[in-house]
Amino acid sequence: MVTQVEASRALVAFDYETITVSSSGVGLTASKIQPASGCAALGAAITVEGATIRYRLDGGNPVAGSAGHLGYDTSVVPAQVIWVYGTENLRLFRAVREGASDATLRVTYYR
């Protein structure tokens, strides 16, 4: 059950990283999700640059051309932000490039 305080609590950005997405599945950095000190990340805003990706939130590896959600390069869909909520979903996030070119993820973590 979500209390009113939890529902209205604003998330605060606390960390950032850049991740290269290639032909093998890649996840978010564990030490960014669960830092050595402080609370775990509760969510992340992810933008994609350079190429389109496929991603999954269930821990399985996405497959270029067939399995996973599409995340478009911001030059194709300028306003697209992939929002991932929940520490476990952050841990299970996996991405792979869709075509022949690597993509870059820009990730801001919130708690």
Side-chain angles (χ1 to χ4, degrees):
M1 181 172 166
V2 176
T3 67
Q4 184 61 36
V5 173
E6 291 169 334
S8 64
R9 182 177 160 231
L11 295 177
V12 177
F14 75 95
D15 210 342
Y16 173 87
E17 73 175 322
T18 300
I19 299 171
T20 299
V21 179
S22 192
S23 57
S24 297
V26 64
L28 303 175
T29 304
S31 63
K32 300 284 187 179
I33 299 166
Q34 180 61 68
S37 63
C39 298
L42 298 175
I46 303 169
T47 56
V48 181
E49 297 177 6
T52 298
I53 64 164
R54 285 202 180 261
Y55 68 95
R56 289 176 58 169
L57 299 172
D58 62 356
N61 280 320
V63 177
S66 63
H69 303 281
L70 284 171
Y72 292 100
D73 176 5
T74 53
S75 67
V76 176
V77 182
Q80 184 183 33
V81 176
I82 300 167
W83 287 95
V84 179
Y85 295 102
T87 304
E88 190 62 18
N89 289 331
L90 294 170
R91 286 187 184 113
L92 295 174
F93 178 92
R94 302 289 293 168
V96 67
R97 70 184 187 204
E98 177 68 2
S101 299
D102 287 353
T104 300
L105 302 182
R106 309 284 182 190
V107 185
T108 298
Y109 293 92
Y110 294 86
R111 59 180 169 208

